[in-house]
Amino acid sequence: MSVDKDTLKTYQLLYFQNELPVPLQLKNGKIDVYPIMVKDWSPFESSLSVLQIDKNNTDNIEQIQMSYMDFLFHLIEQDEQYKNMLVTVLLMSFRAEHIGFIRENNKPYIIIADDKQIITAKISAKEFNKIKDIIFYYNINDYNDIDVSEDVRKLAQEYYKIKNGDSYSPTLEEQKMYVIAKTGISMQEINNMAYRTFNMVFKSALDSEMFLANKIIQASYKYEVKEDVSHPLFVRKKNPYEDIFGNKEAFIDKINQANNG
């Protein structure tokens, strides 16, 4: 993690929960990292995968030793699609007019310019790591950047594929309709929410409904429910890998075995 836990907590208290931009002072200039609004989420989401490519999933030592920004520069130099995706993510996150990519002394930099083509900030590879983390944490409520081996990652994918079976993931439009029906919030209000906020509202409404249904089942003499049904708001949040191995200790042991074996 390029953003330490204490700094992340500060960002959550000062900016995330208030939908305010995170101000960052750079070595060359300063930027604000904005949350993505619901109305802009679909084009943003379709491009976000450019920042999720695993640089280290290779036998190429040279690539592993690259900074993540340098790795992205090599991608965008080879494929215009990657460049368009990265530009989309950064323009929307910074609410900037222009994004550029340059090298100085063989080091990669991302430059930000205003509507008059005047450069207002220059992002180094080290600074970009922090910015990338902020973009994910500010927009994806349950995001985590746990570093696991490729074997564990594949195991997780297979586990959730089996666990979820044929379950259906509602589209963003369907999620909006559900929130409107449950809360009375208007479409205009939803579209002008930060996506992270909306996602939390959607999950809270859904969790509350499921909690009530499970409580009814628990109270019925027809069903035996061994454990008490707790409201999701008060249940400790698990990371996705911990859930696979049943408990935190088993999860940590499995991660250590996979990464050291």
Side-chain angles (χ1 to χ4, degrees), residues 25-156:
Q25 181 65 52
L26 308 176
K27 186 176 181 180
N28 294 285
K30 58 183 180 179
I31 61 170
D32 291 321
V33 182
Y34 289 84
I36 304 303
M37 300 293 105
V38 172
K39 62 185 177 184
D40 301 318
W41 180 252
S42 293
F44 178 83
E45 183 186 29
S46 66
S47 296
L48 189 58
S49 61
V50 72
L51 296 183
Q52 297 172 305
I53 302 171
D54 186 357
K55 174 180 73 70
N56 297 325
N57 185 23
T58 178
D59 294 327
N60 187 326
I61 301 300
E62 183 179 352
Q63 178 173 310
I64 293 174
Q65 292 175 337
M66 290 179 184
S67 67
Y68 199 80
M69 184 191 284
D70 209 3
F71 168 68
L72 287 178
F73 270 46
H74 279 79
L75 287 181
I76 66 178
E77 287 163 0
Q78 297 169 15
D79 192 328
E80 189 73 15
Q81 182 179 1
Y82 285 127
K83 182 177 181 180
N84 293 336
M85 293 169 70
L86 184 56
V87 167
T88 296
V89 170
L90 298 182
L91 282 177
M92 297 178 75
S93 295
F94 304 150
R95 298 189 185 176
E97 295 293 334
H98 301 283
I99 297 289
F101 308 98
I102 63 171
R103 290 186 183 273
E104 292 182 355
N105 299 320
N106 205 34
K107 293 182 179 180
Y109 291 94
I110 294 173
I111 57 173
I112 303 170
D114 60 21
D115 56 353
K116 297 180 181 178
Q117 301 288 334
I118 297 174
I119 296 175
T120 57
K122 186 166 68 172
I123 302 170
S124 68
K126 185 176 181 180
E127 292 167 335
F128 182 73
N129 290 338
K130 181 177 182 179
I131 291 167
K132 180 167 72 75
D133 273 358
I134 293 172
I135 290 173
F136 278 108
Y137 277 107
Y138 205 166
N139 292 294
I140 301 176
N141 179 47
D142 56 358
Y143 175 73
N144 72 71
D145 66 344
I146 298 173
D147 187 19
V148 298
S149 69
E150 186 63 20
D151 288 342
V152 172
R153 187 174 287 107
K154 288 180 179 178
L155 179 63

Side-chain angles (χ1 to χ4, degrees), residues 151-176:
D151 288 342
V152 172
R153 187 174 287 107
K154 288 180 179 178
L155 179 63
Q157 291 173 350
E158 187 63 25
Y159 170 82
Y160 284 107
K161 181 179 179 180
I162 295 171
K163 180 181 178 180
N164 295 330
D166 294 329
S167 62
Y168 174 73
S169 295
T171 65
L172 179 56
E173 182 180 21
E174 289 168 336
Q175 291 177 40
K176 289 181 181 181

Side-chain angles (χ1 to χ4, degrees), residues 178 182 204-220 229-232:
Y178 178 82
K182 290 297 178 181
S204 293
L206 184 60
D207 285 346
S208 293
E209 191 169 41
M210 293 301 295
F211 168 71
L212 291 174
N214 288 332
K215 272 296 189 182
I216 293 171
I217 292 173
Q218 184 185 38
S220 173
V229 178
S230 300
H231 194 287

